[in-house]
Amino acid sequence: KPLKSFHWSFFCTNQVWNMTLLLLDRLENLYRSLPPLTFISYITFSTPSQWSKLCQSLSHSLFHFLLTLCVPGMNAAVRAVVRMGLYVGAKVYFIHEGYQGMVDGGENIREATWESVSSMLQVGGTVIGSARCKEFRSHEGRLKAAHNLVQRGITNLCVIGGDGSLTGANLFREEWSGLLNELVEQGVIEAESVQKYSALHIVGMVGSIDNDFCGTDMTIGTDSALHRIIEVVDAIMTTAQSHQRTFVLEVMGRHCGYLALVSALACGADWVLIPEMPPEDGWEDKMCQKLSATRSRGTRLNIIIVAEGAIDRHGKPITSSYVKELVVKCLGFDTRVTILGHVQRGGTPSAFDRILASRMGVEAVLALLETTANTPACVVSLSGNQSVRLPLMECVQMVKVQKAMDQKRFEEAVKLRGRSDGRRHVPFTLLCSLLPQSNFNVAVLNVGAPAAGMNAAVRSAVRVGISEGHKMFAVSDGFEGFYKGQIKEIKWADVGGWTGQGGSLLGTKSRLQMELSPPPPADSKALGSALQAFLSLLELLMARGKYDEFCVPMAMVPATVSNNVPGSDLSIGADTALNAITTTCDRIKQSASGTKRRVFIIETMGGYCGYLATVGGLAAGADAAYIYEESFDIRDLQVSVRRSHNPCPELSNENSNENYTTDFIYQLYTEEGKGVFDCRKNVLGHMQQGGAPSPFDRNFGTKISAKAMQWVSKKLVETFRHGRVFANTEDSCCLLGMRRRALIFQPVVQLKDETDFVHRIPKEQWWLKLRPLMKILAKYKTSYDVSDSGQLEHVVHNRPKESDASVAM
């Protein structure tokens, strides 16, 4: 009996015929050994290598997936795994209530459908439940779980959880053959089942707000927890400033201080206490001196962040109540304690977590497709801005932090936690340490349109510069202020409280036509904020031959909501804009779902760059995203109109097409949807540039600016000769950007050829590879390019030596 439906489309070379014969042969063998496959629908591959991968995946003993969830806030991952699994023709099951549901079986294991994961992205927690299960830790419990899986023909598991959950899954995998043999001996299953379901394949995704898993820069759920913390801190700071109070905030982190350290960076806290880096003896006096010095400079509040597992050098707990009593006793400050508790685990997922979970979910499905009997269980991780696969047990075995802490080897504990925590503590120390001396004069200015996180970057640059011994100057209103001489010295206390402020407190304006060099390749008035700064550096660099005054080190950090800076995958301000888009889409979806017959066309910013529309569409679950980089015509719009009866918004970039504008699309939908659905239009406009910066942008701005200032300090020393600074090489005028896994300095002159100045975008943009993912999750018939999928690596080799990928949060 043939498959119920099988359709393919392809664009290949002359190897297609042989590959097709091989595919049909393997399908025939596969079909004889499996229950009937319902469908493998509309898979489009563009190269023979991708056909080969498909052939290998179809030769697996079973083509089923299991999804079990061990922590809350992972609905985006659930949705991605289910829809990608269905897209490749798998039969997908939910296991409700985690391992408990696997042991209990019955109604806890249910088949998932496309519609069963609709409207899940914006929902916090987990819709399929999670529960601790002591029974699964026993051999008898795992035997029951194996029986329940074999009954449904499930031999592929996607496990979302922490190191304990993933370790349990790996143990289950190792015992699988023995468990099946026991079930045969007990007469529970047939002997043929042992051969038919001989191997259990496992892929893990890490879900933990503590971000305490080795091998990944960011775990799913951490960014949302940071959002909850920063929302509380921002609210508290207003009352603290009004009453001149000191607040002690206790955040989660029994064994890991990530949330405490990053939230301290993001809110500009005065002091932070974390388990991995206990303070030296006598820290109480040092902390009180720091708080007193801050107040003496005119600050009306103090913020102290304490991780719940904070300890001193002797292992004695440091509690928030103890810190409060210490401040009251020594300084007499009006002090309050706020314990955030489980509020950090709740709420709507942030845009970052939705995108991360979606990418990891799809990558987990691809990893299961490619696994073999000899492939070790792997965990899907994030390194910088790239997906990687790491052996599960290598990651688990690297987590020896608690043992090192128990033995008071705290420096080793920080190293075991990963490069990220150690490198975050360095800028925090610099931002809290005032070393008054004068060496070089360094100026800071903002260029172009405002972007949330600019103020955090300026604060970081100023304070790190002062800590490096420089005299810092602030330039108001960008290059126009520079031209007019609006330059004044800026001191340590002047940037206090800037971290959480939106916009640009220094002021920022479009660049001037300097006429110091040949005309730029495009009309300067048409350039976006990022390109304005970039082109300004190019002009200053070329003007060095005429003016020696420009022979000084110059560094640019990317700051624009459009994320269109050449040489950088990420820009300050883009994450805040994405959260604004996502929040708006969530509210719009509520309105649309109330009527069941309404479609919203939403216009995003970005100029000719479709980053916000694409990634915002992925985070919000949009049905379509129209952008300039991917041309579309009336036929594409017709397809979208026919699909537009679900309450999913459709995003359009502001310059996506000269003729098919947002107004045109709206009018087309309005006309064609008569009698089927209503259509509404929303232009988000400059609200995407406003508001308080997200934790990501605060942290990214702080980290990248601190690194840029340290680079400037190094170059100043290197180029100081005969009583003056003289820097005239290309590598003394650089842009600091995130490239895949690392933050790297790139001479701006080398980036010139990578830039499309006419359309204000880089010629190559990494996020375009997310377009197929967005379409697949919206049920479009499209191809998925697996050329950039993660490859199995070892933990010790998963990033370059000089990588600072942790700055991607």
Side-chain angles (χ1 to χ4, degrees), residues 255-314:
H255 304 296
C256 178
Y258 180 89
L259 289 178
L261 183 55
V262 175
S263 59
L265 275 172
C267 72
D270 298 282
W271 204 264
V272 62
L273 296 161
I274 62 174
E276 297 92 334
M277 302 183 75
E280 299 287 348
D281 292 342
W283 66 271
E284 295 92 341
D285 293 335
K286 292 180 181 178
M287 184 187 72
C288 290
Q289 291 172 7
K290 173 68 170 59
L291 299 179
S292 179
T294 302
R295 286 292 180 95
S296 66
R297 292 195 295 268
T299 304
R300 295 175 58 86
L301 76 157
N302 298 110
I303 300 292
I304 303 170
I305 307 289
V306 182
E308 60 179 331
I311 56 174
D312 63 17
R313 286 276 166 177
H314 308 287

Side-chain angles (χ1 to χ4, degrees), residues 24 332 369 481 580 652 667 731 760:
L24 292 175
L369 283 173
S652 175
Q667 292 169 7
D731 64 353
R760 303 174 294 169

